[in-house]
Amino acid sequence: MEHHSNIVPWEITAKINRFTVKYASVNRDGTLDYEDLESKITSKTKLVSLSHVSNVSGVINDVKRVAKAAHEQGALMLVDGAQSVPHMPVDVRDLDADFLAFSGHKMLGPTGIGVLYAKRHLLVEMNPFQGGGEMIKEVAYAGAKERCYVSLNEPPWKFEAGTPNICGAIALNEAINYLQRIGMDQVQAHECYLTNYAIKHIQELSKVTLHGTTDTALKCGIIPFSVQGLSSHDVALFCDNYGIMIRSGFHCAQPLHQVFNLTSSARASFYIYNTREEIDRFKEVLKETEQL
Amino acid sequence: MPSVEDFVARIEGACGAEKDVIVVFKFDKKEEALANIFKRAQLKRSIAGIIHEMTFKDHTFRVYSSGKAIFRSIKNKEELNELLSELLLPDENGVCSFRARSFR
């Protein structure tokens, strides 16, 4: 069920470092097959990487359970929080995540900046992935030996070579402050309310098929769907005419579409600025697409 | 001499297994682009004044009033370029002859 960003880097790295990437199965309703995943975590497993929330189906994964299974086998747990951190309260300590990544552009912040959280002892152990200014304590030239001796800075600076994206960091910080002032509980409650409301009303349309589970206890904020006889791009361009922006295509998650046996899908998603009235309007527009 | 690029802002290979191609017309040229297409292609049906299903030669495609068009079953860029040239530009018996430049 992963976004390509949680597949492609591992496949590239696997070729360079010669390790194997294993994939867990997904049930027909888009939920994770926990038994399959847990059966694939062995003492040979180094890392389990899992999205907290699917960017296609909105399914919320029980990463705490998976982290426990990973740790029992001595593996590390990386959580892709790009779709969870902007939409719900996330406590890395409670999840026991070793790493958690999220992106600024999905949470009212700018593009080009994101966050990678890691447990401190891992940051201390890890080598920097790039070198440059600011990430060192000292670069001492030993003239006699004609070489420089480098001692690394403390984390997180050890990983922040060169001039950082200062504007991006300030803007993302403001976005986080803004969301925290609203309260992530409130954000989640609002989205769940809208998701419930939208599912209930869209299900009334005879030519619209919702993909994946519609149980809002298992998902939040995202509704993937198709309209009979129309490609997802037709639906998106039609909605565009009414000022309704939805996503069409694979949503950077082609394998999950293979599970759903779809060539593409349309995806409606909600955030703090959306309203019930907008969903009413969306339903009316979808109703019109049924006549196409 | 007019070219396809005069009308087209960008061409996107739509994400998905259908391999649709979305052509986005330049904002200030979209009315002219749509008018040219309507002159040359045959309107099969129009829905809500927003989606216009057109046929031209062996191709069926959809034009949107917002200034976009979706083409399906296009083999390659050359074929799309040729099709857009025939739809958008004056024909050889018209004001001028043309050879469309390649687009991005």
Side-chain angles (χ1 to χ4, degrees):
Chain A
M1 70 166 67
E2 299 304 314
H3 189 284
H4 294 165
S5 63
N6 199 18
I7 297 174
V8 179
W10 301 120
E11 290 293 349
I12 291 171
T13 314
K15 273 188 185 170
I16 297 166
N17 295 302
R18 296 183 184 180
F19 61 80
T20 308
V21 183
K22 290 184 179 175
Y23 293 90
S25 301
V26 175
N27 300 312
R28 293 289 302 162
D29 66 354
T31 56
L32 183 64
D33 183 341
Y34 289 96
E35 286 181 9
D36 181 63
L37 172 58
E38 284 161 1
S39 74
K40 285 171 176 161
I41 303 173
T42 69
S43 58
K44 287 183 174 178
T45 307
K46 298 293 181 193
L47 183 90
V48 177
S49 186
L50 179 68
S51 58
H52 197 174
V53 174
S54 163
N55 74 305
V56 175
S57 64
V59 164
I60 303 166
N61 289 321
D62 187 351
V63 291
K64 192 173 178 177
R65 171 179 168 173
V66 178
K68 188 169 179 286
H71 292 151
E72 280 172 1
Q73 294 289 349
L76 296 171
M77 181 73 201
L78 187 153
V79 180
D80 172 2
Q83 198 64 48
S84 62
V85 171
H87 301 279
M88 57 198 275
V90 175
D91 182 343
V92 287
R93 290 193 184 95
D94 180 54
L95 297 177
D96 201 13
D98 297 297
F99 302 95
L100 186 140
F102 64 91
S103 178
H105 75 281
K106 281 186 174 270
M107 51 189 300
L108 312 175
T111 55
I113 188 161
V115 170
L116 174 64
Y117 158 86
K119 285 179 178 170
R120 183 162 183 84
H121 74 92
L122 294 169
L123 291 174
V124 171
E125 286 170 28
M126 288 191 305
N127 288 319
F129 64 98
Q130 63 181 356
E134 280 297 310
M135 48 81 71
I136 42 82
K137 268 185 191 159
E138 191 179 29
V139 179
Y141 179 63
K145 294 186 178 178
E146 291 192 351
R147 60 172 297 190
C148 283
Y149 289 92
V150 175
S151 56
L152 300 175
N153 206 338
E154 299 297 320
W157 298 281
K158 183 168 86 172
F159 301 99
E160 296 185 0
T163 305
N165 179 3
I166 299 164
C167 300
I170 292 168
L172 177 56
N173 186 52
E174 282 307 309
I176 292 168
N177 288 339
Y178 179 77
L179 287 169
Q180 283 187 329
R181 280 199 297 274
I182 293 169
M184 294 312 295
D185 286 322
Q186 295 295 314
V187 172
Q188 186 178 28
H190 180 68
E191 285 185 33
C192 284
Y193 169 75
L194 292 179
T195 309
N196 264 315
Y197 185 80
I199 287 173
K200 185 182 157 202
H201 285 80
I202 295 170
Q203 274 178 331
E204 292 168 3
L205 303 172
S206 60
K207 289 187 181 175
V208 177
T209 305
L210 304 184
H211 304 299
T213 181
T214 52
D215 182 351
T216 49
L218 301 174
K219 66 180 282 172
C220 197
I222 291 173
I223 301 176
F225 66 97
S226 298
V227 180
Q228 192 183 316
L230 292 178
S231 85
S232 63
H233 307 301
D234 279 327
V235 179
L237 286 177
F238 190 81
C239 289
D240 179 40
N241 274 279
Y242 292 95
I244 297 170
M245 308 301 289
I246 62 168
R247 176 84 193 265
S248 59
F250 282 141
H251 325 306
C252 298
Q254 189 173 349
L256 188 55
H257 283 79
Q258 290 172 298
V259 172
F260 289 143
N261 201 22
L262 293 171
T263 52
S264 70
S265 67
R267 182 189 69 182
S269 56
F270 314 112
Y271 205 28
I272 52 172
Y273 38 70
N274 292 118
T275 64
R276 200 178 70 170
E277 290 70 27
E278 287 175 337
I279 291 170
D280 291 337
R281 181 73 180 132
F282 177 50
K283 185 195 169 187
E284 289 307 309
V285 171
L286 279 185
K287 206 171 179 179
E288 282 193 46
T289 66
E290 292 194 308
Q291 296 158 23
L292 303 183
Chain B
M1 187 182 297
S3 74
V4 168
E5 286 172 324
D6 294 336
F7 293 92
V8 175
R10 64 183 188 278
I11 294 169
E12 299 170 357
C15 178
E18 298 102 336
K19 307 291 180 199
D20 295 347
V21 177
I22 300 175
V23 176
V24 183
F25 298 111
K26 286 182 179 172
F27 185 79
D28 57 342
K29 297 286 274 186
K30 70 176 184 180
E31 302 297 337
E32 191 181 341
L34 297 191
N36 288 350
I37 290 172
F38 272 79
K39 256 188 265 173
R40 294 175 181 122
Q42 192 179 359
L43 178 66
K44 269 180 76 180
R45 60 178 181 147
S46 196
I47 302 140
I50 293 173
I51 300 180
H52 313 284
E53 195 165 308
M54 317 289 293
T55 55
F56 182 71
K57 296 189 173 173
D58 295 332
H59 296 277
T60 300
F61 58 96
R62 284 183 166 168
V63 176
Y64 293 78
S65 301
S66 58
K68 295 172 185 171
I70 292 186
F71 292 85
R72 302 209 162 85
S73 307
I74 296 291
K75 288 184 206 125
N76 49 41
K77 281 184 176 180
E78 287 68 33
E79 186 184 42
L80 180 63
N81 199 27
E82 199 170 309
L83 187 59
L84 288 173
S85 298
E86 291 184 60
L87 286 167
L88 296 172
L89 306 180
D91 61 34
E92 289 180 8
N93 298 319
V95 179
C96 59
S97 62
F98 65 90
R99 200 71 215 156
R101 292 198 299 258
S102 62
F103 50 80
R104 283 166 290 171

